[in-house]
Amino acid sequence: MNIIGRLTRDAEVRNLPNEKQVVNFSIATNDNYRNKQGERIEHTTYFECAYWISPKVADFLTKGTLVELSGRAYTSAWLGKDGEPHAGLNFHTSQIKVHSSNKRTENKYTEPNKTAKKEISNSNPNSSDKDDDLPF
């Protein structure tokens, strides 16, 4: 199953007693449709997600990032501290594709690369100003 949504909080890495690590995060998916009266109805579904393959992915999973997840969905039910029943949707993630990131992540990960590219292009003694006129 594939789902696409935005992270509602930054990912967290949890260390388990058996020395394994899991990345936990949550996403919100949006759906909209028109009812019989022609009104547009928007519906948001929240998933609590777990990723077991590599904890390094948590560096890229920040609040607001748009991701596509592959894996399997399942439900959970529990009684809260107040004795009230609760239910939730969980997603055991096997693959993550990042489609876009929030500004904080973009600045954190792309700014150094832009600087490095700029330094490389400026260090070329054979470069000329007429290259700037190229349409691409």
Side-chain angles (χ1 to χ4, degrees), residues 69-133:
L69 307 176
S70 298
R72 70 183 202 288
Y74 59 98
T75 59
S76 60
W78 67 94
L79 290 176
K81 293 179 181 177
D82 56 359
E84 292 292 316
H86 297 275
L89 288 172
N90 301 312
F91 199 80
H92 186 91
T93 307
S94 59
Q95 185 177 12
I96 300 171
K97 291 181 186 177
V98 176
H99 287 284
S100 71
S101 57
N102 63 23
K103 293 187 185 245
R104 189 175 84 198
T105 304
E106 286 177 4
N107 289 340
K108 185 177 177 182
Y109 294 104
T110 61
E111 297 277 332
N113 292 339
K114 287 180 183 177
T115 305
K117 287 180 183 177
K118 186 182 265 187
E119 289 174 1
I120 290 170
S121 66
N122 289 340
S123 66
N124 185 353
N126 297 328
S127 66
S128 65
D129 289 339
K130 60 183 165 182
D131 288 341
D132 291 340
D133 294 333

Side-chain angles (χ1 to χ4, degrees), residues 14-21:
R14 258 186 35 213
N15 295 310
L16 303 177
N18 61 0
E19 298 190 20
K20 286 189 178 185
Q21 293 181 312

